[in-house]
Amino acid sequence: MARKKIVAGNWKMNTVPAEGVELAKAVVAGRSEVCECVNFIVCPPFTHLSQVVEAVKGSDIAVGAQDCATEAKGAYTGEIAASMIAALGCKYVILGHSERRQYYGETSETLNKKMAQAYANNLTPIYCVGENLEEREAGNHFAVCKAQIEEVVFNLTEEQFANLVIAYEPVWAIGTGKTATAEQAQEIHAYIREVLREKFGALAEECPILYGGSCKPSNAAEIFAKEDVDGGLIGGAALVATDFLAIGKGF
Ligand code: PEP
């Protein structure tokens, strides 16, 4: 069975609502130039999720959030529950992004709770894993990714796992202009799939594994051509509609 091809844009803390709506509309406008086989997802800040859902209405572009709370509801000032995100019409939520692990102390313990909230509200998690430069240079990248998967993904039921997207994002390649080579990406994507196979057997063949880290129109095709790379999680280049769409042409 062919795996889903996905290009997801993580807008991070960029765009005010009017800019976000303009960007989403530009993606919708250019979408027909890219193969229908590509599933596009845009992940704006919480503040304009609902406006972006409205802006992409009638197209096949899906909307996701960049995080969700560990709890269902209650006295958690400043938090956004998965139910609130789902109620806006979002289908996805990015969880475990390296910036959240690094700057906001996200751990496997908190991520297990967030994953449970996402599934309880029918959101598909885009679960991020990846090593930092020191870990890569010490040759620990396989072990780091394995632990990030075992500690969180291995707790999922088969039904939940069948509705999961994984993003491999080497921290040293995020926003740095440095990209993993297509061979490096394939090597670790194949390894991640092997780890998933240990727990979920044949279901692992269906799990989309995206590459993220300075992916752009000029390098997407080479990376996406690799067998175990099923698309990209895109940061900087997702802020320019033509670049984001051109990445989709990399398939
Ligand atoms: C990201 O942070 O998810 C990312 C891939 O960023 P960039 O494309 O800017 O490296």
Side-chain angles (χ1 to χ4, degrees), residues 49 51 68 83 97 121 125 142 163 168 203 229 246 248:
L49 281 175
Q51 283 163 274
C68 74
S83 62
H97 191 278
N121 291 282
F142 294 110
N163 195 24
Y168 165 67
L203 270 183
V229 180

Side-chain angles (χ1 to χ4, degrees), residues 90-110:
C90 296
K91 301 288 179 221
Y92 292 87
V93 59
I94 298 172
L95 291 176
H97 191 278
S98 62
E99 285 152 17
R100 297 220 53 91
R101 292 180 191 263
Q102 195 179 342
Y103 307 140
Y104 303 99
E106 197 108 282
T107 61
S108 293
E109 196 184 335
T110 51

Side-chain angles (χ1 to χ4, degrees), residues 131-143:
E131 79 287 353
N132 63 31
L133 186 58
E134 207 178 302
E135 291 161 341
R136 163 71 58 168
E137 285 175 347
N140 290 335
H141 44 298
F142 294 110

Side-chain angles (χ1 to χ4, degrees), residues 101-179:
R101 292 180 191 263
Q102 195 179 342
Y103 307 140
Y104 303 99
E106 197 108 282
T107 61
S108 293
E109 196 184 335
T110 51
L111 287 166
N112 279 312
K113 293 183 183 170
K114 290 181 178 194
M115 293 284 266
Q117 289 301 323
Y119 284 115
N121 291 282
N122 298 316
L123 293 172
T124 298
I126 301 174
Y127 178 67
C128 305
V129 300
E131 79 287 353
N132 63 31
L133 186 58
E134 207 178 302
E135 291 161 341
R136 163 71 58 168
E137 285 175 347
N140 290 335
H141 44 298
F142 294 110
V144 169
C145 293
K146 186 174 194 205
Q148 289 170 337
I149 287 170
E150 282 180 340
E151 290 168 14
V152 177
V153 177
F154 276 21
N155 297 326
L156 302 180
T157 63
E158 284 193 355
E159 195 189 339
Q160 289 172 328
F161 176 69
N163 195 24
L164 176 74
V165 176
I166 290 182
Y168 165 67
E169 300 206 304
V171 179
W172 48 271
I174 294 180
T176 58
K178 273 189 202 168
T179 319

Side-chain angles (χ1 to χ4, degrees), residues 23-36:
L23 175 55
K25 285 185 173 165
V27 174
V28 172
R31 199 270 170 263
S32 62
E33 291 163 24
V34 187
C35 177
E36 274 180 21

